[in-house]
Amino acid sequence: MVRKDMSIFVTGGAGFIGSQFIRDRVAQNPDELVINFDALTYAGNLENLESVANLPNYRLVKGDICDEQAVLAAMPDDCGAVVNFAAESHVDRSILSAKEFVKTNVLGTQTLLNIARHKRVGRFLHISTDEVGGSMEPNQWFTEDMPLNPSSPYAASKTAAEHMVRAAAHTFGMDVLITRTSNNYGPYQFPEKLLPLAISNAMQGKPIPVYGDGLQERDWIHVADNTRALMLVLSKGRPGETYHIGGKNPLRNLDVLKVLLQITGQPESLLTHVTDRLGHDRRYAVDCSKTHRELGWQPEISFEEGLRSTIAWYQDHAEWVERAKSGEYKTYYERMYSGR
Ligand code: NAD
Ligand code: TYD
């Protein structure tokens, strides 16, 4: 029996990480109503939620987190928690134009905070990124208490959002939590980010663009390890705290791509160096020992194991990739369900 008084308001749940969170949450908490509030931008794909779409404890509301009236109407009073995934999330797009990033990531987060406070929401979990710390030195690890030093317009907008979340806790006593996650990978990731792009290109024998020298380091975490940490932070995190979630294993882009080509059986000649990203951060590496110490969490999926299963998923879901790349995913879902 779904209890309306037990509800959780998730934003951006049709995206990559949000949809993994919702699939997990809906399965694990059959009594709780999960409301997915999503504007369905280019990054929102309802195919990601096909497995929960008709379950009684899941509800989709199409809406923009910057739209106060829409959020007011959709967020239940006294709901257990808001989990804010909604964001513009791709660094390259923020370099081309930062306006949408400021709008959604900063103004949207503030709009949610205002309404959550008035509706007396239990907890507010804000999903942030390791990129707010800026580029780390070799062997340096980003800890929760280090100063923020964002480099890209994307990271700057996520940093501003974090400040608004902490300000709401300090000023109004809201129960907020922030998580900073490293680079996620796994099923249902939109093929503009490095791994899904490289996997789909490798599957078709197409060149894989390597920005600059390819020696930049990223700390990869499987999305299921991340959402497991998010569940723990939500239930056991201390109010006002920030928790880092990472794979504890920073790798150079070129090394990652070489393993990927080995698994897919494609030649390294597919790697094609292209002009570097402007202001490209060299290294991200999050220290997640606080999350381990306080919540008993650590990543369980090794990079090679996770990469193998992710590649297998993309190989088994070639049509999902095609629809995501062609734009057909926007109408596919409606066509598929209009007959029901
Ligand atoms: P995504 O781009 O795959 O999905 C974003 C979702 O937000 C989409 O469903 C989109 O429709 C929705 N959305 C965008 N603007 C909206 C708005 N104004 N109102 C309502 N919904 C809106 O993103 P993701 O990769 O799943 O990332 C989720 C969160 O995690 C983001 O906040 C991102 O900054 C953060 N993060 C991501 C990574 C990563 O590796 N992907 C790493 C660290 C942190
Ligand atoms: P990306 O997946 O965009 O994540 P982020 O910028 O948030 O870390 O990129 C991961 C790394 O891969 C980053 O160093 C940029 C690089 N990259 C490429 O070399 N080629 C590509 O085509 C893309 C999309 C990224």
Side-chain angles (χ1 to χ4, degrees):
M1 174 74 179
V2 181
R3 291 180 45 185
K4 296 263 162 37
D5 57 329
M6 276 176 53
S7 57
I8 176 170
F9 189 81
V10 178
T11 71
F16 165 48
I17 307 175
S19 67
Q20 175 82 38
F21 180 87
I22 288 184
R23 290 190 303 274
D24 295 350
R25 189 84 190 180
V26 164
Q28 290 163 14
N29 300 275
D31 296 342
E32 178 189 72
L33 177 65
V34 177
I35 299 166
N36 175 18
F37 187 84
D38 195 303
L40 300 180
T41 68
Y42 81 94
N45 185 343
L46 289 177
E47 285 189 54
N48 303 0
L49 293 160
E50 215 173 315
S51 62
V52 298
N54 292 319
L55 295 181
N57 60 331
Y58 169 76
R59 183 190 301 159
L60 169 72
V61 180
K62 184 176 175 190
D64 185 331
I65 60 168
C66 304
D67 180 344
E68 211 163 62
Q69 291 310 316
V71 177
L72 259 175
M75 190 187 292
D77 293 331
D78 292 321
C79 87
V82 168
V83 184
N84 183 28
F85 290 98
E88 288 294 331
S89 69
H90 190 39
V91 174
D92 290 333
R93 286 179 188 257
S94 79
I95 293 168
L96 288 174
S97 170
K99 198 169 163 186
E100 275 308 305
F101 287 72
V102 176
K103 189 164 166 271
T104 287
N105 301 1
V106 188
L107 183 63
T109 299
Q110 183 56 44
T111 305
L112 289 173
L113 285 165
N114 289 344
I115 295 170
R117 177 161 62 93
H118 288 297
K119 297 236 176 197
R120 300 183 188 285
V121 163
R123 313 203 90 177
F124 191 101
L125 170 56
H126 177 72
I127 311 301
S128 190
T129 167
D130 61 354
E131 302 193 25
V132 298
S135 200
M136 296 289 113
E137 295 300 323
N139 300 318
Q140 188 187 23
W141 294 77
F142 181 39
T143 55
E144 284 86 349
D145 52 6
M146 275 166 65
L148 305 188
N149 185 28
S151 327
S152 69
Y154 162 68
S157 68
K158 294 294 288 186
T159 305
E162 278 202 18
H163 287 314
M164 300 315 293
V165 173
R166 273 186 294 273
H170 182 82
T171 311
F172 303 112
M174 282 181 75
D175 178 350
V176 305
L177 298 147
I178 294 173
T179 54
R180 297 192 190 123
T181 320
S182 62
N183 284 59
N184 282 232
Y185 69 96
Y188 299 105
Q189 186 169 26
F190 194 77
E192 64 179 353
K193 304 273 168 65
L194 179 66
L195 284 188
L197 178 84
I199 295 170
S200 73
N201 282 15
M203 277 161 48
Q204 298 176 337
K206 286 188 182 162
I208 296 172
V210 178
Y211 295 173
D213 61 11
L215 300 181
Q216 306 83 3
E217 289 178 74
R218 295 294 183 268
D219 181 3
W220 297 97
I221 181 168
H222 192 278
V223 63
D225 268 338
N226 178 22
T227 54
R228 197 167 46 77
L230 295 178
M231 301 295 172
L232 280 170
V233 171
L234 195 53
S235 61
K236 297 194 178 128
R238 286 188 293 130
E241 291 295 316
T242 298
Y243 292 95
H244 282 183
I245 304 170
K248 292 166 73 170
N249 185 25
L251 295 167
R252 296 188 303 190
N253 290 343
L254 266 183
D255 296 334
V256 165
L257 293 172
K258 283 178 185 166
V259 179
L260 186 152
L261 288 169
Q262 215 177 22
I263 298 172
T264 51
Q266 293 288 357
E268 287 189 10
S269 56
L270 287 185
L271 299 177
T272 308
H273 288 268
V274 298
T275 308
D276 205 356
R277 172 185 281 173
L278 292 176
H280 200 166
D281 281 341
R282 290 302 279 182
R283 170 181 159 91
Y284 298 140
V286 289
D287 179 331
C288 38
S289 49
K290 172 180 169 183
T291 311
H292 179 52
R293 202 172 51 247
E294 289 195 13
L295 306 175
W297 174 90
Q298 59 181 345
E300 287 175 356
I301 304 170
S302 73
F303 183 68
E304 177 146 358
E305 177 197 354
L307 185 61
R308 277 187 190 281
S309 64
T310 301
I311 289 171
W313 187 90
Y314 281 90
Q315 285 168 337
D316 289 347
H317 293 78
E319 289 174 358
W320 180 93
V321 178
E322 269 323 297
R323 285 192 292 270
K325 280 181 147 177
S326 68
E328 201 198 335
Y329 68 105
K330 281 291 171 205
T331 52
Y332 168 82
Y333 189 87
E334 281 157 29
R335 272 191 282 117
M336 204 169 60
Y337 284 87
S338 59
R340 287 196 176 180

